[in-house]
Amino acid sequence: MFRRQKSLVSESKRDLSSPGATRSTAKNDMRKFHSFSQLILAAGPLKSAPAVKHSKAAHFEIEILDAQTRKQICIVDKMMQTSTIHDVKQKFHKIYPKWCPSQIGLQLEHGGPFLKDYITIQSVAASSIVTLYFTDLGRQVRWTTVFLAEYTGPLLIYLLFYLRIPYIYDMKESSRRSRHLVVHLACFCHCIHYIRYLLETLFVHKVSAGHTPLKNLIKGCAFYWGFTSWIAYYINHPRYTPPSFGNRQVTVSAINFLVCMYICEAGNHFINVVLAHPNHTGTNACFPSPNYNPFTWMFFLVSCPNYTYEIGSWISFTVMTQTLPVGIFTLLMSIQMSLWAQKKHKIYLKKFNSYMYRKSAMIPFIL
């Protein structure tokens, strides 16, 4: 009995291991694969999942709150992705005409910096609803107006004192005393200085910020006009006496000072031209580089050579006239310009790696 079962098992193994059995199983597999492929072909090509497209016509809703009370002022809707802060200000002005776009200050967070007009909504938006904080900046004026007012005043005020109008000086004393050569040279240098300022404001300078508060205009005019009146009163006074040198010495020293002032004035002008037209490649974020003009080679030593030349002009004017008001004005201008130069110097150090070899902000190897 057991022998017969063993024989049956052994026979079945022989059948499976025989060549005919392997051929039959291979044929069955081929038939199954063929039927499966026919099923796939009948079903047609596989369809890919549709790609998710980001809508370019997405709109943003701008909620404007009062920066002090944090209460809602208005909602500006239907702002495109390419819309800027300037566009938001324009729509805000249409809702509240009493606030001009230049008076509107918008912040992304309370106490943060004011957003520039060229910033797009998409760059500051975390969702479809953007919250901005409004601050009334007060009456605004253009920077060009500020510069023209600051520089036109000293030019006209100095000429009034130079002409010795009767309301300022005693006519008898003015007619009795003749003017020294230094008085004429000082008037010429002072006028050339501010005429250059006016021409550069009109044709050279590119002002980054369009407007400034009205109080800056008042402060600037008070500073420049006040000091010019003080300086002009002393230099053009009938009792003004230059240093007690001989005529030849005075002439030589005045010419030397005039040449020095010419170099500084010319250098300041060419530096401002380079700053207004930098060598950039598609962006304004670049450090101005010296060119073939020798006056621009000061960039190799300092970050702000325009301030260097400006201080040089006023030092020359101080030595030439030797009056206390000019010396005080030169000292105050030097302090203010050194602060501006150090601030710009730090910005350049952060933005430009190739700038590290420049060692000073305004005065070579010193400051």
Side-chain angles (χ1 to χ4, degrees):
M1 184 76 179
F2 291 104
R3 289 178 181 176
R4 190 175 181 181
Q5 290 178 353
K6 288 182 179 179
S7 63
L8 292 174
V9 172
S10 61
E11 288 178 0
S12 64
K13 288 182 178 180
R14 287 174 187 174
D15 294 337
L16 291 172
S17 59
S18 63
T22 55
R23 290 176 182 174
S24 61
T25 54
K27 288 181 179 180
N28 293 332
D29 293 338
M30 289 296 295
R31 288 173 183 175
K32 292 180 181 179
F33 177 76
H34 180 71
S35 61
F36 181 71
S37 61
Q38 291 292 332
L39 179 64
I40 292 176
L41 291 174
L46 294 175
K47 295 182 179 179
S48 60
V52 179
K53 297 182 179 179
H54 296 281
S55 176
K56 295 183 179 180
H59 293 81
F60 291 96
E61 209 173 78
I62 312 299
E63 181 187 22
I64 299 179
L65 307 180
D66 191 293
Q68 295 180 351
T69 62
R70 301 194 179 185
K71 293 182 179 180
Q72 186 184 91
I73 299 177
C74 67
I75 293 178
V76 180
D77 56 356
K78 297 182 179 180
M79 299 301 298
M80 303 292 291
Q81 291 181 350
T82 56
S83 300
T84 62
I85 297 297
H86 178 71
D87 298 329
V88 177
K89 291 181 179 180
Q90 292 290 343
K91 287 196 173 184
F92 186 87
H93 172 62
K94 291 181 180 179
I95 300 173
Y96 294 98
K98 66 177 181 179
W99 284 310
C100 298
S102 60
Q103 294 180 250
I104 302 171
L106 297 177
Q107 301 164 295
L108 189 59
E109 56 184 9
H110 181 67
F114 291 107
L115 299 175
K116 303 294 184 181
D117 288 348
Y118 57 82
I119 295 178
T120 59
I121 302 299
Q122 186 179 11
S123 63
V124 298
S127 63
S128 60
I129 301 177
V130 182
T131 301
L132 299 178
Y133 295 90
F134 163 75
T135 300
D136 186 3
L137 300 178
R139 183 71 65 181
Q140 302 284 302
V141 292
R142 291 186 176 274
W143 273 111
T144 304
T145 305
V146 174
F147 294 146
L148 291 176
E150 287 178 351
Y151 304 148
T152 304
L155 179 63
L156 299 177
I157 290 173
Y158 197 97
L159 289 175
L160 290 177
F161 282 91
Y162 177 76
L163 296 175
R164 291 182 178 179
I165 57 178
Y167 300 101
I168 302 175
Y169 303 114
D170 182 68
M171 290 299 297
K172 294 182 180 179
E173 191 173 13
S174 299
S175 59
R176 189 168 59 249
R177 293 177 178 269
S178 59
R179 302 182 188 183
H180 198 274
L181 176 63
V182 177
V183 177
H184 301 291
L185 290 175
C187 180
F188 176 77
C189 293
H190 192 275
C191 292
I192 288 296
H193 181 78
Y194 282 100
I195 288 174
R196 178 186 63 81
Y197 266 166
L198 292 173
L199 293 177
E200 286 180 351
T201 301
L202 294 173
F203 304 109
V204 177
H205 288 307
K206 294 181 179 180
V207 182
S208 57
H211 298 81
T212 185
L214 181 62
K215 62 180 181 181
N216 289 339
L217 172 64
I218 298 174
K219 289 191 297 184
C221 290
F223 178 78
Y224 282 100
W225 295 16
F227 263 103
T228 300
S229 301
W230 192 22
I231 291 170
Y233 177 80
Y234 274 88
I235 296 177
N236 296 287
H237 199 280
R239 297 184 181 181
Y240 170 76
T241 55
S244 57
F245 300 120
N247 292 333
R248 183 177 300 177
Q249 292 179 343
V250 171
T251 304
V252 172
S253 61
I255 292 175
N256 290 335
F257 294 142
L258 185 62
V259 171
C260 183
M261 287 195 67
Y262 167 75
I263 293 174
C264 292
E265 291 295 329
N268 200 350
H269 168 71
F270 289 117
I271 292 298
N272 287 328
V273 171
V274 171
L275 292 175
H277 305 281
N279 298 324
H280 57 80
T281 56
T283 176
N284 289 327
C286 61
F287 183 80
S289 302
N291 52 27
Y292 62 89
N293 193 328
F295 290 105
T296 64
W297 294 350
M298 187 66 73
F299 273 117
F300 288 115
L301 301 176
V302 296
S303 304
C304 306
N306 53 325
Y307 296 151
T308 307
Y309 285 123
E310 179 74 11
I311 296 303
S313 298
W314 283 107
I315 290 176
S316 301
F317 193 77
T318 303
V319 176
M320 183 176 65
T321 58
Q322 292 190 6
T323 54
L324 180 63
V326 181
I328 295 175
F329 180 78
T330 302
L331 177 62
L332 295 178
M333 289 292 293
S334 301
I335 295 174
Q336 181 62 66
M337 289 186 180
S338 65
L339 296 176
W340 290 338
Q342 289 176 357
K343 183 177 179 181
K344 289 185 177 181
H345 186 70
K346 291 180 180 178
I347 295 175
Y348 290 149
L349 288 175
K350 291 180 180 179
K351 286 187 176 181
F352 309 106
N353 296 326
S354 61
Y355 172 71
M356 299 302 294
Y357 66 91
R358 295 181 174 88
K359 299 181 180 180
S360 303
M362 186 176 69
I363 303 175
F365 312 111
I366 298 176
L367 178 64

